[in-house]
Amino acid sequence: MNESQIDLAHTVALGSIGDEDQRAVQRLLDAGDPALRADFTLEVQQTREALALFAAASATAPPAALRDRVLHAIAADQAPATVISLTRAADRNGKGHNHAVND
C-alpha cells in the first residue's frame, strides 16, 4: 500500500470519511487486487484497535456529582438545569456585568 492508501485507511477507521474519500475507497476495493484489499482492510482494523486501546487507556470516569445530578434529574423526570451566560449590548462597552440565568 502507498502512503495515500494508508491515510485513506486511517480516515475510514476514524469514521471521518467524506464523499470523495468514499469514492476512493470504493475504487480501491473494486480494483480487483485481493492483496491490496486485504492490506487495506487489515490497516483499517489495526487502526480501529489502536484507537480503542488508546481510548480505554485514557478514559476517565465522570465526576460522581455529575452522575448524581443525572440520576436525580431522571428520577424527577426533568432535564438538568443549564446555566447560560448573557451579555447585554451595553456590557460590551465595559460598564455592565455578565449575568447568569438558570433554565
Side-chain angles (χ1 to χ4, degrees), residues 23 26 35 40 50 56 59-61 64 75 80 82:
R23 287 188 294 275
Q26 198 57 50
F40 184 83
T60 58
T82 303

Side-chain angles (χ1 to χ4, degrees), residues 30-91:
D30 291 344
D33 182 350
L36 178 59
R37 191 172 24 252
D39 287 348
F40 184 83
T41 302
L42 181 61
E43 186 69 31
V44 171
Q45 179 184 359
Q46 289 176 338
T47 302
R48 285 180 176 157
E49 290 171 1
L51 291 169
L53 287 172
F54 177 74
S58 62
T60 58
L66 174 62
R67 182 179 187 279
D68 292 342
R69 268 194 1 240
V70 170
L71 291 176
H72 184 266
I74 291 169
D77 197 28
Q78 66 182 21
T82 303
V83 176
I84 302 170
S85 178
L86 301 176
T87 305
R88 295 183 182 161
D91 292 341

